[in-house]
Amino acid sequence: MSEKRKTPVRERKGKSHVKERKAVVSNVSMVQELTFDEALELFVTAKKAEGMRPRTIHDYYKHMEWFRRFLSEFYPDVTTIQQLTPEVIRSYITYMKDERSPYEGDERREKAIKGLSVNTINIRLRTLRVMCRFWYSEGYLSANPMEKIKLLKSDSVDDLTGYLLIRR
């Protein structure tokens, strides 16, 4: 009888196997606390490197200025991004919905009504969300305060009425 010869087992030529996983250590405790100005500059520098449009960068500065005005009036002790909490952000949303006047400070355009539009509030929340996500992913925040904050729904009667008037 003829014996079949076994072919030798070839060694693997693909990627090498991971023998040990390295533990990911957060460097948040090693980073100094950042003021909103310092954190904004870090964020803007990164976005410019990514090719963000100048108009978007300009809007980031405006939105942060409005947020800082709110903080200086209602939360003067919150001076660094590490002090941001979901409660502060929810308070900012309530302020924009119920207390902030559209075009406040512009005498020609200022309106007597209180509260910004849902779209305006959501635009500002998106800006804050992008910034917080960046600071968290870069290790400047130990937790993302915007993680569980949702955008506002815009299904009010005023929005529908405006939509119906436009369609006519």
Side-chain angles (χ1 to χ4, degrees):
M1 276 209 204
S2 69
E3 286 186 35
K4 285 190 174 180
R5 282 186 74 184
K6 292 184 180 178
T7 56
V9 177
R10 293 184 187 161
E11 288 195 28
R12 188 173 192 271
K13 291 184 180 181
K15 294 180 182 178
S16 61
H17 293 287
V18 176
K19 299 200 174 99
E20 279 185 38
R21 298 257 181 222
K22 294 181 181 175
V24 177
V25 179
S26 174
N27 61 353
V28 173
S29 61
M30 295 180 272
V31 175
Q32 65 180 8
E33 288 195 347
L34 295 173
T35 65
F36 286 99
D37 288 332
E38 294 166 338
L40 179 61
E41 288 307 315
L42 284 170
F43 175 76
V44 166
T45 301
K47 293 304 171 184
K48 282 181 180 177
E50 293 174 8
M52 190 69 63
R53 294 181 183 265
R55 169 65 191 262
T56 306
I57 300 294
H58 175 72
D59 288 345
Y60 287 150
Y61 281 109
K62 281 192 334 190
H63 294 176
M64 184 53 79
E65 178 60 30
W66 290 320
F67 183 59
R68 282 192 302 229
R69 283 184 195 171
F70 163 78
L71 290 175
S72 67
E73 185 175 342
F74 296 99
Y75 293 91
D77 295 339
V78 177
T79 57
T80 66
I81 62 168
Q82 289 80 10
Q83 294 171 317
L84 275 181
T85 64
E87 292 76 25
V88 170
I89 295 167
R90 286 187 185 103
S91 179
Y92 181 52
I93 294 169
T94 303
Y95 167 76
M96 289 189 290
K97 275 177 56 177
D98 301 333
E99 297 176 34
R100 176 80 162 80
S101 296
Y103 308 112
E104 193 172 284
D106 187 349
E107 296 163 4
R108 294 174 294 151
R109 298 177 75 188
E110 195 166 346
K111 296 181 179 180
I113 61 170
K114 293 285 185 181
L116 301 176
S117 76
V118 171
N119 288 334
T120 300
I121 294 169
N122 284 340
I123 289 168
R124 293 183 187 179
L125 289 176
R126 282 187 196 101
T127 298
L128 204 52
R129 174 172 288 143
V130 168
M131 289 179 179
C132 287
R133 188 180 302 139
F134 170 80
W135 295 325
Y136 175 70
S137 69
E138 293 288 316
Y140 297 110
L141 290 175
S142 59
N144 182 351
M146 283 294 295
E147 187 175 17
K148 295 189 180 189
I149 305 289
K150 297 188 188 289
L151 297 179
L152 301 181
K153 298 200 185 277
S154 62
D155 56 358
S156 70
V157 173
D158 292 338
D159 290 341
L160 293 175
T161 304
Y163 174 73
L164 293 174
L165 290 175
I166 291 170
R167 289 194 55 169
R168 287 185 186 179

